[in-house]
Amino acid sequence: SVGMACGALGDRFGHRQTLMSGMAAMATGSLLGARAEGFEWLLASRAIEGLGFVVAVSTTVPMIVRFSVRRHQRLIFGF
């Protein structure tokens, strides 16, 4: 259900912008995790990083479909 919401965000605000936001969330979560001093901060940073990953993955698929030639889509999705 989170993936569906992230996909809807991509449809509404643009897939490229949403993908960049997801990448920024992953980077932020990673940096916070590297500097975490306790379990709570580490867990919170992993949640931020995980949400960014879901956002990035859910918006990448429509971009692949949009920018690939139809006859190559099966090959691209196979990779």
Side-chain angles (χ1 to χ4, degrees):
S1 64
V2 175
M4 289 174 37
C6 293
L9 284 174
D11 290 339
R12 180 159 176 92
F13 296 112
H15 296 289
R16 183 173 183 225
Q17 184 68 29
T18 309
L19 174 64
M20 292 309 208
S21 298
M23 295 291 214
M26 285 194 307
T28 302
S30 180
L31 289 173
L32 288 174
R35 300 194 45 89
E37 294 183 9
F39 177 73
E40 295 84 12
W41 283 104
L42 184 62
L43 189 61
S45 71
R46 292 294 293 162
I48 293 169
E49 192 176 359
L51 182 62
F53 178 77
V54 171
V55 169
V57 167
S58 64
T59 57
T60 302
V61 173
M63 289 179 66
I64 291 172
V65 170
R66 183 174 171 194
F67 292 116
S68 64
V69 179
R70 180 142 177 93
R71 68 175 189 258
H72 294 155
Q73 284 179 356
R74 290 180 67 188
L75 179 66
I76 291 170
F77 284 124
F79 282 124

